[in-house]
Amino acid sequence: MANKRKAQSPPPQVRSPVRQRLSPAATLSYPSLSSSPHKVPPIQRPSPLLTFSYNADRVLEFNNSALRYFVQPPDGADLGFHYDKWTKRPEERGRLDGLLTAWSRFKSNLRLSDSASSAKLPDIDVICWRGIMTNWELNVMLVKGTLYLEEHLSEAKLQEKNAMTPRHRLQSYYGYAFESYCTSSEPDGFGDPVSQGVPGWGGDVNTNVQWCTVVKTKLGDRRMVIGGEVDCIRGQYSGNTENYVELKTSLTIRNPSDEVKFEKKLLKFYFQSFLLGVPEIVVGFRKPSGHLSTVQSFRTVEIPRFIRGKPGAWDPSVCLGWGDRFLTFLQSTVKSDSGREVWRVTFKPKVGVTAAVLNEVDVSEVVNGEDRVGFLPRWYWDEVASQPADGATSQRGRDGDSAARGAGAADLASGWRL
């Protein structure tokens, strides 16, 4: 038998030089949780610019028709009451349209003002809803030096959120029912009649209705415009945030494990209120049956001290330092010559953040067949694009803000500095 010829390896291929490509995604590493940052960025107490309402048909109105006033809820209130009468707004993409409509109105009114200070509109670095900082995935655009941030929700994610299980849906309703028990249409608390013989019921739930505020604030030297819903106020509305109240519900604490879970929830409660200037959070603790057991009020600025020193406690200084790093990362990463590019920013727990510019197919998914440039409504993009550039996009306000950084502590209201 002839000897088999040993197979020879194919000759190595000579590859032509490959042009180096930039990484498709920029990254920001997760912060260290073992120690506080050496320098905590100052944050300016939020100052209100204007308010607006959404009515029962989800129409935006520049009035306070949706404003509600805090009242003490009745003991043992049934948070499942009138569940079958709930008018639930479908889950939708986290658009900025309402906030941008309000911001545009504010700028227009400022230009029409006779005040000499209105000649120069403020330069804004970031515009977003307040809940954006607690989301896992964002869409980001840079237009004329301002970063716009919206929550990214795909069609699949929207369908998933709209198809919640009956149990999840009922538990979601408990929070809205608590708001009804805790609010009235009049400051004296007697503006709403007793409904179906149930004392304290403020009216059937319609999640189309919201009262929103738009505030300006600063993190470090970055000017930010933030919008968000305000559940109610205490007493008369004075035009500022000092008597805003946030309403939350949580399962009654029955053991140490429940206590740890609640203290972690306080992180979200804290920053949602802190960023909007809401000084008080009222939590309704409920039984598994959905009946109210106790009600507790928390001062927003005191929450960090409430959990300090406990096992696994979060540190607001780390959170603010991370927020400052995150915005620095976005400002150095998100670039746009045309103001049309859309970036996808994704947060992975214990890993960090990635940011990458979207291709045409992904941008089309973001636009979703609507009249938009990226995720911004076309009318707003046209309005901003038509404004002359000030030529100081990257350095704008920095020189003037250097003194503010030095005096940042003095600018903060008592209790607002961590």
Side-chain angles (χ1 to χ4, degrees):
M1 179 181 291
N3 292 331
K4 290 184 178 180
R5 186 177 180 181
K6 186 176 181 180
Q8 294 182 352
S9 300
Q13 296 181 355
V14 179
R15 296 183 179 181
S16 58
V18 177
R19 184 179 179 181
Q20 293 290 328
R21 298 180 61 189
L22 295 176
S23 173
T27 61
L28 173 67
S29 61
Y30 196 71
S32 170
L33 304 181
S34 60
S35 61
S36 298
H38 297 296
K39 184 178 180 181
V40 180
I43 184 166
Q44 187 181 66
R45 182 168 186 171
S47 175
L49 300 177
L50 76 166
T51 60
F52 61 92
S53 298
Y54 284 110
N55 66 20
D57 297 316
R58 199 56 183 175
V59 176
L60 189 152
E61 301 173 341
F62 284 104
N63 57 40
N64 294 323
S65 60
L67 172 60
R68 304 287 290 180
Y69 300 88
F70 179 80
V71 294
Q72 194 66 27
D75 295 337
D78 177 10
L79 300 182
F81 180 68
H82 274 196
Y83 172 62
D84 58 327
K85 299 184 182 299
W86 178 17
T87 301
K88 185 181 183 299
R89 185 176 82 255
E91 294 291 341
E92 54 193 11
R93 294 170 184 259
R95 300 301 197 192
L96 295 175
D97 296 24
L99 175 57
L100 297 180
T101 300
W103 174 237
S104 177
R105 181 184 178 92
F106 173 78
K107 291 190 296 181
S108 177
N109 290 341
L110 199 60
R111 292 190 187 98
L112 294 174
S113 171
D114 292 331
S115 171
S117 62
S118 68
K120 179 71 168 62
L121 288 171
D123 292 323
I124 302 300
D125 295 285
V126 180
I127 296 181
C128 63
W129 291 111
R130 68 156 174 183
I132 208 73
M133 299 304 180
T134 58
N135 288 313
W136 302 113
E137 206 165 27
L138 308 177
N139 296 322
V140 180
M141 292 179 68
L142 177 69
V143 185
K144 290 293 184 72
T146 299
L147 287 169
Y148 296 86
L149 284 60
E150 76 156 18
E151 178 186 8
H152 172 64
L153 285 175
S154 64
E155 280 301 317
K157 188 66 175 179
L158 281 172
Q159 292 177 11
E160 178 185 328
K161 294 185 74 170
N162 279 312
M164 46 171 106
T165 64
R167 179 173 175 270
H168 186 195
R169 180 183 170 93
L170 178 60
Q171 291 178 337
S172 176
Y173 177 77
Y174 288 157
Y176 296 118
F178 180 64
E179 292 179 14
S180 182
Y181 280 115
C182 284
T183 61
S184 168
S185 61
E186 299 293 338
D188 56 15
F190 298 102
D192 302 308
V194 174
S195 177
Q196 301 292 315
V198 177
W201 182 246
D204 292 339
V205 176
N206 183 341
T207 49
N208 285 312
V209 180
Q210 290 180 306
W211 184 63
C212 300
T213 187
V214 180
V215 303
K216 63 175 181 177
T217 184
K218 288 174 69 177
L219 178 60
D221 61 359
R222 297 175 190 85
R223 293 186 176 91
M224 305 174 66
V225 169
I226 300 175
E229 180 186 9
V230 178
D231 292 327
C232 60
I233 65 171
R234 279 191 184 269
Q236 296 285 345
Y237 179 49
S238 59
N240 55 45
T241 68
E242 64 184 12
N243 55 352
Y244 285 2
V245 180
E246 179 79 9
L247 301 173
K248 296 291 187 182
T249 56
S250 187
L251 197 62
T252 299
I253 298 174
R254 298 160 294 181
N255 51 54
S257 176
D258 287 347
E259 183 176 2
V260 171
K261 291 178 182 177
F262 175 70
E263 288 169 354
K264 289 183 178 179
K265 289 175 69 174
L266 281 177
L267 172 62
K268 186 173 183 179
F269 293 176
Y270 170 75
F271 272 104
Q272 281 185 337
S273 297
F274 188 84
L275 290 172
L276 210 58
V278 179
E280 181 183 8
I281 304 170
V282 175
V283 179
F285 292 93
R286 63 169 181 84
K287 301 176 182 178
S289 65
H291 288 80
L292 196 62
S293 56
T294 57
V295 177
Q296 185 173 355
S297 175
F298 296 86
R299 301 301 298 176
T300 301
V301 296
E302 295 175 0
I303 288 178
R305 289 189 286 273
F306 177 78
I307 54 91
R308 187 173 295 157
K310 296 186 178 182
W314 47 268
D315 185 345
S317 299
V318 173
C319 298
L320 284 175
W322 165 254
D324 186 58
R325 285 182 58 209
F326 174 69
L327 293 179
T328 298
F329 168 73
L330 289 185
Q331 288 180 313
S332 62
T333 302
V334 176
K335 306 296 182 183
S336 177
D337 295 327
S338 66
R340 295 174 176 270
E341 289 84 355
V342 180
W343 290 67
R344 178 68 44 76
V345 177
T346 304
F347 172 73
K348 295 182 179 180
K350 299 183 180 181
V351 176
V353 169
T354 60
V357 66
L358 299 185
N359 58 36
E360 291 185 8
V361 174
D362 291 331
V363 171
S364 179
E365 191 272 335
V366 170
V367 173
N368 195 39
E370 302 168 16
D371 189 20
R372 298 180 179 276
V373 176
F375 58 79
L376 298 179
R378 183 173 296 278
W379 67 264
Y380 180 83
W381 190 91
D382 289 343
E383 177 183 292
V384 173
S386 66
Q387 296 172 359
D390 59 15
T393 301
S394 61
Q395 189 64 25
R396 61 184 192 160
R398 298 297 186 260
D399 297 334
D401 285 339
S402 59
R405 287 197 300 271
D411 294 339
L412 302 182
S414 175
W416 215 253
R417 187 184 183 191
L418 300 177

